[in-house]
Amino acid sequence: MSSRVCQSCGCTDIDVDQARGNAVCMSCGSVLEDNIIVSEVQFVENSGGGSSAVGQFVSADGPAKAPVLGSGFHTSLGKESRAQTLQNGKRQIHNLGSQLQLNQHCLDTAFNFLKMVVSKHLTRGRKMAHVIAACLYLVCRTEGTPHMLLDLSDLLQVNVYILGKTFLLLARELCINAPAVDPCLYIPRFAHMLEFGEKTHEVSMTALRLLQRMKRDWMHTGRRPSGLCGAALLVAARMHEFRRTVKEVISVVKVCEATLRKRLTEFEDTPTSQLTIDEFMRVDLEQECDPPSYTAGQKKLKMQQLEQELAQKLDEYQGEISVYKDEIENELENSRTKLRGIYAAYAKQDLHEEFPVDTELTGSEGAEDEEVEVAAQHLTQDFVSHLVSRDTQADEETEQSESKEQLQHPEKKQVPLKSILGPLPTVASLGLSESIKECITEQEETDDKSDNGELDLEGIDEEEIEKYILNEKEVLAKTELWMVQNAEYLREQKEKEERIAKEKEMGTYKEKPRKPSKRREPIRANTAGEAIEKMLEQKKISSKINYDVLRDLNSKGSDASSPSPAEDVPVSSGRKRLTRRKKQPNKSNLGLAKPASLMGKRLRPLISSSPKKKSTSTQAVPVVTPLTLCEPPLPTPLPLVESGPVSYAEPAEEEEDEEEEPEEPCVSAIQLIGGDEYGCDAEEEEAF
Amino acid sequence: MEPSDDVALDITVTNVVSVFRTRCHLNLRTIALEGVNVIYKPETGKVLMKLRKPRITASIWSSGKIICTGATSEEEAKIGARRLARCLQKLGFKVRFSDFRVVNVLAVCSMPFQIHLIQFAKNNRPIASYEPELHPAVTYRIKHLRATIQIFSTGSITITGPNVQNVASAVEQIYPLLHECQKALK
C-alpha cells in the first residue's frame, strides 16, 4: 500500500498499529501519527448482558430528505428541531427499552409511535420522559408482552397514575385500541421470578387453570391483574408442594398483603375451592359465580331481610307468650286472694301496657338480644316480686306460688315498676329522634327559592348568620392564635416586602423576572436564495458548518448553491453525531459545490438501502464515495478546499483500501452511483 | 329524580359545584379572624368557609371569586351561595351577588343488574376506556353532553355533568348500552 514518507529520515517503511492507533517510522522510530481514527466496529455491553454495536443507524427519512424550496422550506426549518427531538427520543427509547428487555422490533414500533405523537404535537406541555414511557407501554400492550405500567413507573420513579393519564391520552389520540390486559400474560414472568426450578412449567399451567376459573367466577372484573396472578400462583405453588410465603409472592407481584389475602378469601368462597387438587385438574364446574363485591352487597340485603323476619317471629312469639300469660293470670286471680287497693289499680293497667313495652324493647334491640332481654326481664320480675312481696307482706301462699311459677308470670307487683321504667326510655329515645327530624325539616322548609338580583335576603336566617361572626373578644383571641400559627409565613412576607423596598430604592426593582425576549430583525433580501442564506446565517442551525465556505459556495454557484447549503446543512447536522472520521469527508464534501450536492442525492438512496446492514458498510459507503471524488477534483477547487480535510482523507483512504477488498458490495454501489454522469469515474477506476 | 324509560332508576345527586363573584375585593385576613368555621390557607391564598345549614364548603379568594361545593341540589347550591354572600356582607364587605352558575353536578345511580366491563369496553371502543391497572371502572365520555360516566362491575354508576338535566339524559343514553352487556340475570 502506498505509505507516507517519514519526514525526518525519508524512509517509506511505516508501521501502522491499529490497536494503538500509531503510525511509526521503522527506521528512525519517529511517530508520524497518533490516535489514528479507525473504522472498526466496537461493541458495548448492555444492561441486559447482551452486546450491541456502537454507532447509529441513519434513517431513510428525517434530515436526509431533500427539502422543497419555497413553500416547503418551512418544514425543513422546523425539521432541524424535529430531527433532534426524534433522535433524542429514540435514544431514550433504547435506554428504557433495553432496561425492560424489549426486542428491536418493539423498540422500532415504539419509535414509530413517537413519530406519530410528535407530528400531532402531543408532546407539547408534557415531559418527554412520560411520553416515551407511554409509547413503550403502548407497544407492550399491542404486542402482549408481560410488562406492567408499574414496571415503567418504577424505572422512571413517576407516579403510576400520571403515566396512565399520558398513556390513555396518547392511545385515544392515536386511535390505538389496546387490547385489555389479560392476567394470563403475567404468569410465566412471575413464575420464573418465583424460582420453581424444573417444575416452573407445571406450576404455570396450574396457575393458568386457576385464573381461567377465577375469570369465570367473575373475580377479575375491575381488579388489577397482578393481584389475581399473585393469588393464582400462590395456590398453584402450594398445590405442587412449594412453600412460597405471601411476602415472597408480594415482592414479585407488586401488590400489598391485604389485596392478596382478599383475593384468596374470595377464591375460597367460590365452589371451586372445595374441590381437591385432582378433581380440580380434571373437572370444570359448570356454574358461574357473581363478582365478590356484588355478593357482599347481597349479603347485606340478606342480613336485613333476616332481621326483619326475626322481628316478625318475635312478634309471634310475643303473642304466644302473652296468651300464656293471660291464661296463667286468670287462674292466679281466681286462686289468689285479692290484693290491696293500690296495686289493684296498676294490675289493670299493666296488661295493656306490657305488650307495647315488650315489643318495642325487643324489636329495637334485635333478635339476638331478645332472649337475653326476656330472661333479664323475668329475672328482674322475680327479684322485684320478692321485694314487693316483703313490703306488702302478702300471704305466704302467694309468695310460694310466685316463686314456683318462674316464667310467663305477669306479676302485678312487679309490673308497676316495669311499666314505670319501661316506657320511659323508649318514649324518650323515640321522641328525641322525632324531634330532631322535626328540627331538620323545619330548617329545610325555611329555604325558599329566590329570583335574580343583587342579593335576595329572603329566607336567609339572619340570626344564624350572626352566629357565624365572632364577637370582639373572640376576634382578639383568634387573632392571637392565628398570628402564632402562621408566624413563619408572616415573617417571610415581611422579608419579601423589605427586599422589594430596597430594590425600589436602588432602582433595580423588577416586577417579575422576565426572560429577555429575542427580537430578530426581519430579513430583507432580493431573491429567495438570498433570504435563505441570511436566515441560515442568523439562525446558526449547526455549529459544524463552516459558514464562510457556505457563503463562498453561494457566490460561486447560482442555482446549485441554494440547494447545496440547504442539503448539506441537514446532511451535516444529521451526520453530526457520527464519528469524527465522517465529518472530515463531509467538510471536503462542502468543498465540492456541484458534484457534492448532486452526490448528496445519490448518497441517500445508498444509505437508505442498507439501514440495517452492518455498520461497517454504512460507514464505509459514505466515506468511499466522497473520497473517490475527492481525489480527481482536488486540483480544480483549490482555493475553496482547505488543506486540513485533504490530509485526513489520505489515511482514511488507506484504511478504506483495506476494507474495500472484503466488501465488494461497496464497489458495486459506487458503480451504481458512478454511472455515466461524472467524468471522474474513469479516473476512479484507475485509482483502484 | 327523573325516571328513564320504563325502569324507574333512582338518580341521586350527591354533589353540586357552583361559582359566583362578589365584585369586590375581599380581605381574607378579616374573614379568617372574624368568621367561625374558617380555615385560612396563605400558601394558596384562599379561605375555606363551611356552612352548616345547606352543608357546603366555600373557597374564597381575595379577588372576590368564590367556589361552593357540597350542595345536594341546584337550588340548595344557590341558597348556600346567597347565604355565604350575606355572611360576607355582614363582615363589612360591599358584596354583590353576580355571575352565579353551576359548574359541575355529580350523581350516583344503581342498575338492577351487573355489567360485563370487558365486553362493554370492547363494544364501545373509542368512547369507553377500561384500564384495570389504574381504575376498576370503565370511563365513558359523552362529548355532546359533556358528561363523564364511570361504570362499575356491580352495576352502580357515577355521572358527572354540567347540570342535572345533562346528567339525566346521560343516564338515559347509557342505559340501553349497559343493558346489552349485562351479566346473566340470577
Side-chain angles (χ1 to χ4, degrees), chain B residues 2-141:
Chain B
E2 289 178 26
S4 61
D5 299 343
D6 304 321
V7 185
L9 285 170
D10 286 329
I11 307 176
T12 320
V13 178
T14 51
N15 189 21
V16 175
V17 178
S18 56
V19 295
F20 72 96
R21 297 165 70 177
T22 58
R23 295 268 177 211
C24 81
H25 189 271
L26 300 171
N27 187 348
L28 294 183
R29 205 179 273 203
T30 322
I31 301 173
L33 295 178
E34 293 183 16
V36 188
N37 303 333
V38 285
I39 307 165
Y40 187 13
K41 296 206 167 178
E43 310 89 37
T44 43
K46 66 183 181 196
V47 165
L48 289 176
M49 184 182 240
K50 306 199 186 201
L51 265 70
R52 270 191 221 111
K53 259 197 202 167
R55 196 162 276 280
I56 57 171
T57 307
S59 304
I60 306 166
W61 274 268
S62 58
S63 61
K65 288 207 178 138
I66 301 180
I67 299 184
C68 294
T69 60
T72 53
S73 74
E74 288 183 349
E75 297 85 18
E76 211 183 275
K78 186 145 197 192
I79 291 159
R82 285 193 302 113
R83 213 170 262 217
L84 189 69
R86 178 77 190 124
C87 185
L88 291 173
Q89 224 173 39
K90 288 213 161 176
L91 281 172
F93 301 106
K94 287 184 188 166
V95 160
R96 292 185 51 177
F97 189 74
S98 78
D99 297 340
F100 174 84
R101 62 186 186 93
V102 168
V103 175
N104 189 25
V105 170
L106 171 74
V108 171
C109 181
S110 187
M111 301 285 149
F113 46 79
Q114 300 140 62
I115 302 155
H116 193 162
L117 292 183
I118 297 180
Q119 198 184 342
F120 181 84
K122 262 193 212 168
N123 293 353
N124 306 292
R125 248 307 152 62
I127 318 173
S129 129
Y130 178 44
E131 282 295 319
E133 288 188 35
L134 294 174
H135 193 58
V138 174
T139 315
Y140 188 94
R141 289 177 207 269

Side-chain angles (χ1 to χ4, degrees), chain A residues 151-202:
Chain A
D151 301 330
L152 276 170
S153 78
D154 273 345
L155 282 175
L156 287 176
Q157 298 292 309
V158 169
N159 188 1
V160 186
Y161 297 105
I162 295 175
L163 277 185
K165 209 172 166 187
T166 318
F167 161 72
L168 282 173
L169 189 107
L170 288 189
R172 206 170 354 131
E173 293 297 319
L174 297 176
C175 304
I176 294 171
N177 295 322
V181 181
D182 197 3
C184 303
L185 288 172
Y186 296 139
I187 295 262
R189 174 185 162 193
F190 291 142
H192 184 71
M193 286 168 80
L194 280 172
E195 292 171 12
F196 290 122
E198 288 172 355
K199 277 192 151 188
T200 309
H201 183 70
E202 289 175 27

